[in-house]
Amino acid sequence: MKGIIRLEKKDYLGHLNQLLPFCLVTTARGGSEFLQSLLDNHPQVCTFNTNFRFFNEYLPASKTWDSDKTDLSDFIDEFIGVEIHRFKTHYFKTERQDQLGPNCNQSINIDTNAYRTYFMSIIDDNKITKKSLFLSIYGAYHMSLGYDILKTKVLFHHAHILQEADIYFNEFPQSKLILTTRDPRAAFVSSINHSSSKDGWFDNYKHVNDSLKNLVLERELFEKLGKDAIIIRLEDTRERTILKSLAAQIHIDYKDSMKVSTWGGLEWWGDRSSPNKLDPRVSKPNTNSWRNKLAKRDKYILETVLCNLLIKYQYPCSRKTWIDRALVRILLFIPLKYEMRHFRLNMILKKLKIRSGREIMNIISIPYYYLKVRQTLFLYLKFQNKQIWDKWPGDLLKTSNL
């Protein structure tokens, strides 16, 4: 960590209130953590450690939050305790933040007493609101890493999901949405592989449907928040010209630190769901070989129901005719490759052998999720037929000539 900054009596909260607010969300396996990690070490960006659902999840669960009657001392003590893994990241094993640095043997180690002092100095005698608490939390984190909070230009909140972003926009109505995404076919494969690499909790038919649903954002909320959203493809985030364009879009200076994935200024090698460590400086992202992993029929179905969205995001896709859409209406009733394994007798017997209520429910729910997958795919086909994908919110971030 950088040296502790000597505090002076200044209107830190007033400065934080003037920052340009941005909000990051993502589609399935869209690389939002990776994008945030490229901004982590930028002195003009005030952010927090990875995605954080402060408004949607943390505050409703807080025992000390009591509107303007909140005891600040108790609140910040509770916050540090609940979120200790973000300050002492040797506890943040799922994100592999216990293995940061060039030799994978470092972690963030913030002095929580100093963080508490920064928090109390920022909020000072200001009115206690959700917004003032949020800004004080972010500002104190930035200062704890040794940065000058008064040199920041941007407030960057990684909401991850639209439900959190919606509440954030209520507090910061001038905010702009940033969406990270990736080729939906690669995202689908990555989401399934991600589930199988865990302890089995997500290895079920429901997750197949969730993986398909999360290829795009919920339409109603996305249209509400994302009219002028900045769309960033994961496949482009290593490109220097794209990073320069992003810096220009969010009104910060481009810095070479944006070419290196870090947390707390320490090199990050990807979370533990990745089968291999990801080099913080590698120029090309892993495409996960989705072309070889999806069945030919599945590729045809996904390309047909998502055709105009793929074209909008400039992913390879041949134009589809009414004949393709008519044929897909029939093919949709055949389970996808990743569905078929849940119908196999050996898979069912394996789950029965475990004798857990959860696995029994997974078996019983197979017909239900077979229908849910059909519902999701037919919805995408409807969007394709009615040209809704053409009007999907947001604009793809293009390369900069700077």
Side-chain angles (χ1 to χ4, degrees), residues 247-375:
Q249 286 278 333
I250 66 175
H251 307 286
I252 61 174
D253 300 327
Y254 171 78
K255 293 186 178 295
D256 284 341
S257 64
M258 294 172 67
K259 295 190 293 185
V260 185
S261 174
T262 65
W263 292 117
L266 299 170
E267 291 91 332
W268 183 49
W269 300 79
D271 62 33
R272 276 191 164 78
S273 66
S274 304
N276 301 303
K277 290 181 179 179
L278 306 177
D279 192 321
R281 292 178 173 82
V282 167
S283 58
K284 294 294 181 183
N286 180 11
T287 59
N288 75 26
S289 304
W290 63 265
R291 290 177 178 82
N292 299 324
K293 294 177 181 177
L294 288 173
K296 186 176 181 179
R297 183 186 71 251
D298 299 352
K299 286 184 281 188
Y300 177 68
I301 289 172
L302 291 174
E303 190 170 306
T304 301
V305 301
L306 296 170
C307 180
N308 288 2
L309 184 66
L310 290 168
I311 291 171
K312 179 182 174 72
Y313 289 168
Q314 298 181 10
Y315 289 118
C317 175
S318 58
R319 291 280 183 183
K320 301 302 179 186
T321 67
W322 68 268
I323 298 175
D324 295 301
R325 295 193 295 273
L327 178 57
V328 160
R329 283 184 177 275
I330 300 170
L331 294 177
L332 281 181
F333 289 98
I334 304 173
L336 304 174
K337 173 184 172 182
Y338 285 115
E339 293 179 85
M340 289 299 295
R341 64 190 298 268
H342 297 286
F343 288 99
R344 291 175 186 156
L345 182 60
N346 63 338
M347 182 72 166
I348 294 173
L349 291 175
K350 179 182 176 181
K351 289 178 179 292
L352 286 172
K353 191 175 181 180
I354 296 175
R355 294 183 179 179
S356 77
R358 177 167 61 89
E359 295 298 353
I360 297 297
M361 285 303 302
N362 286 339
I363 295 170
I364 294 173
S365 64
I366 286 174
Y368 173 77
Y369 283 108
Y370 165 81
L371 295 174
K372 293 296 288 184
V373 168
R374 313 283 75 75
Q375 183 183 48

Side-chain angles (χ1 to χ4, degrees), residues 11-167:
D11 185 12
Y12 295 110
L13 192 61
H15 173 78
L16 290 166
N17 265 306
Q18 298 301 314
L19 297 180
L20 291 172
F22 292 89
C23 186
L24 177 63
V25 294
T26 186
T27 56
R29 306 295 292 162
S32 57
E33 260 88 12
F34 177 70
L35 179 68
Q36 185 190 356
S37 74
L38 299 179
L39 298 173
D40 160 80
N41 202 23
H42 199 299
Q44 295 173 332
V45 179
C46 183
T47 189
F48 197 53
N49 190 343
T50 70
N51 73 83
F52 181 39
R53 299 166 198 176
F54 176 76
F55 298 105
N56 180 247
E57 293 183 5
Y58 181 83
L59 270 188
S62 171
K63 293 179 173 60
T64 58
W65 161 245
D66 189 21
S67 192
D68 59 352
K69 301 182 185 68
T70 299
D71 184 304
L72 289 174
S73 180
D74 290 346
F75 178 86
I76 197 58
D77 285 345
E78 178 192 32
F79 180 79
I80 291 171
V82 172
E83 303 296 331
I84 189 65
H85 56 288
R86 301 179 192 269
F87 303 102
K88 311 281 187 180
T89 65
H90 60 276
Y91 297 118
F92 212 167
K93 292 180 169 53
T94 55
E95 290 294 323
R96 200 180 267 137
Q97 288 197 26
D98 58 324
Q99 295 181 4
L100 299 172
N103 299 313
C104 303
N105 61 355
Q106 294 176 269
S107 61
I108 299 171
N109 185 25
I110 286 175
D111 183 336
T112 53
N113 289 324
Y115 178 83
R116 190 182 194 280
T117 299
Y118 289 138
F119 173 87
M120 299 298 283
S121 297
I122 293 170
I123 201 162
D124 199 20
D125 295 325
N126 293 281
K127 183 178 179 181
I128 301 172
T129 64
K130 293 178 182 180
K131 184 176 182 179
S132 64
L133 290 173
F134 177 85
L135 289 172
S136 299
I137 285 168
Y138 272 52
Y141 184 78
H142 193 78
M143 295 170 82
S144 295
L145 293 175
Y147 294 114
D148 184 349
I149 195 65
L150 298 179
K151 291 182 179 179
T152 52
K153 295 182 177 181
V154 164
L155 178 67
F156 192 87
H157 178 44
H158 184 177
H160 203 72
I161 59 173
L162 283 176
Q163 289 73 17
E164 168 73 11
D166 191 29
I167 307 174

Side-chain angles (χ1 to χ4, degrees), residues 185-236:
R185 296 158 294 192
F188 181 55
V189 170
S190 178
S191 183
I192 299 295
N193 290 343
H194 175 66
S195 70
S196 61
S197 70
K198 292 199 170 187
D199 60 3
W201 185 264
F202 294 101
D203 189 14
N204 52 59
Y205 210 148
K206 178 182 182 299
H207 186 69
V208 176
N209 183 58
D210 289 345
S211 297
L212 285 169
K213 284 176 60 179
N214 292 332
L215 295 180
V216 296
L217 297 181
E218 181 187 333
R219 182 185 177 189
E220 184 178 349
L221 264 182
F222 191 34
E223 288 180 341
K224 173 185 174 183
L225 304 176
K227 291 185 177 68
D228 59 348
I230 301 169
I231 313 295
I232 304 176
R233 306 190 318 174
L234 174 63
E235 295 85 352
D236 296 335

